[in-house]
Amino acid sequence: MDSPNTIAAVLAGMEPQTPLHITHLPLISKTDWILKKVAGKSVLHVGPTDYPTAIEQAQQGRLLHLKLQNQCKELIGVDLSQQSIDALREQFGVTDIIFGDAEELDVVFPGRRFDVILAGDVIEHFSNLGRFLTSARKVLHPEGELIITTPNAFALKRMFGAIFYRQERNHPDHLYYFSIMNLWQAAWRFGYQITEANTFMYDNPHSTLNQRGNMVTKLIMKLTSNNFLADELAVAMK
């Protein structure tokens, strides 16, 4: 298995127009990976309500923002769904999420700097990814990390949905799919460097279909040694 440092070296050496080929991407636990990244740091969590499923995920113990609360030195969330912000405050006592536009973080947090900006499964919703990356740079400490997770354009389960169900099994609010090459190009264009790249599976223990899909996908990935087929991508940028 390639180490994150090996992957970072490959990415750093690429020219922007060069087709990206990475022989192996680690398959990780998303939550464990993120919790290690944010431990003891000041964290800005972008899109923490996971609208419109905030209450359902909180009730099931799956809402990431709740898992971050005891791990970070400082935690604040910014979200465009006032409805979800209010619901989480009223039902779960969440008081560290404010209303604001993630594409204008420097306007929402003038003069502030964070150790980590976490954009978990949110960039695919943005109208303008470049505006987000530019504004994030302005509120990130010079040595800070931008953590991004996003659905994988080459996810095998998404292919299964198209083949067997004739459905695009996707969130209706998504505008884009991303690959590692897309993310590397976006990082390069806006002055970042990807330092770590991984894949992970979306795991919902409450969905039998999800569990079966995961079993099949993991088997195929193991047989082909190809984690490019996983559900989602997770990258760290500086």
Side-chain angles (χ1 to χ4, degrees):
M1 177 180 292
D2 293 343
S3 70
N5 289 336
T6 301
I7 294 169
V10 172
L11 292 168
M14 288 288 184
E15 293 297 326
Q17 69 274 16
T18 303
L20 183 61
H21 176 74
I22 300 177
T23 57
H24 184 81
L25 290 176
L27 185 68
I28 62 167
S29 163
K30 171 189 174 182
T31 300
D32 291 347
W33 181 73
I34 289 175
L35 291 180
K36 289 178 182 178
K37 288 286 187 182
V38 305
K41 298 179 179 178
S42 61
V43 178
L44 173 57
H45 190 188
V46 176
T49 72
D50 204 3
Y51 173 84
T53 63
I55 299 304
E56 176 187 354
Q57 291 207 39
Q59 289 172 338
Q60 295 175 351
R62 297 171 52 231
L63 190 66
L64 179 60
H65 192 75
L66 295 180
K67 297 178 181 180
L68 299 176
Q69 289 183 330
N70 296 323
Q71 304 294 320
C72 309
K73 179 178 70 176
E74 176 190 16
L75 175 65
I76 187 167
V78 59
D79 202 286
L80 276 176
S81 174
Q82 188 66 60
Q83 176 183 351
S84 296
I85 294 172
D86 293 341
L88 286 172
R89 180 183 297 112
E90 293 168 5
Q91 298 186 41
F92 292 90
V94 177
T95 60
D96 55 7
I97 303 176
I98 67 171
F99 179 85
D101 188 349
E103 294 180 20
E104 297 181 346
L105 292 177
D106 53 323
V107 175
V108 181
F109 301 100
R112 295 286 302 276
R113 293 278 182 170
F114 297 89
D115 299 324
V116 175
I117 296 177
L118 171 60
D121 289 14
V122 70
I123 65 170
E124 60 274 8
H125 297 264
F126 288 159
S127 296
N128 191 320
L129 176 61
R131 285 180 60 191
F132 164 70
L133 292 174
T134 299
S135 70
R137 171 63 71 197
K138 295 177 182 178
V139 298
L140 191 65
H141 281 303
E143 297 303 316
E145 277 192 313
L146 173 59
I147 306 298
I148 291 175
T149 66
T150 190
N152 178 18
F154 298 105
L156 188 59
K157 280 158 59 179
R158 191 164 294 113
M159 306 291 185
F160 288 159
I163 294 169
F164 297 112
Y165 294 94
R166 297 188 180 183
Q167 294 177 350
E168 183 173 348
R169 303 181 71 84
N170 190 20
H171 193 295
D173 191 53
H174 289 185
L175 286 179
Y176 320 99
Y177 286 123
F178 289 92
S179 68
I180 286 293
M181 185 174 183
N182 299 148
L183 291 172
W184 180 84
Q185 179 64 237
W188 179 82
R189 286 192 187 190
F190 293 95
Y192 294 84
Q193 178 180 317
I194 291 180
T195 56
E196 189 173 344
N198 306 284
T199 62
F200 65 92
M201 299 298 295
Y202 172 72
D203 186 29
N204 182 357
H206 302 278
S207 170
T208 301
L209 183 61
N210 171 263
Q211 293 298 297
R212 290 175 178 172
N214 284 356
M215 289 177 60
V216 174
T217 300
K218 288 178 180 179
L219 176 60
I220 293 174
M221 289 194 298
K222 183 176 181 179
L223 292 174
T224 60
S225 299
N226 185 4
N227 290 340
F228 268 124
L229 305 177
D231 292 346
E232 302 215 20
L233 305 171
V235 299
M237 302 181 183
K238 289 188 174 182

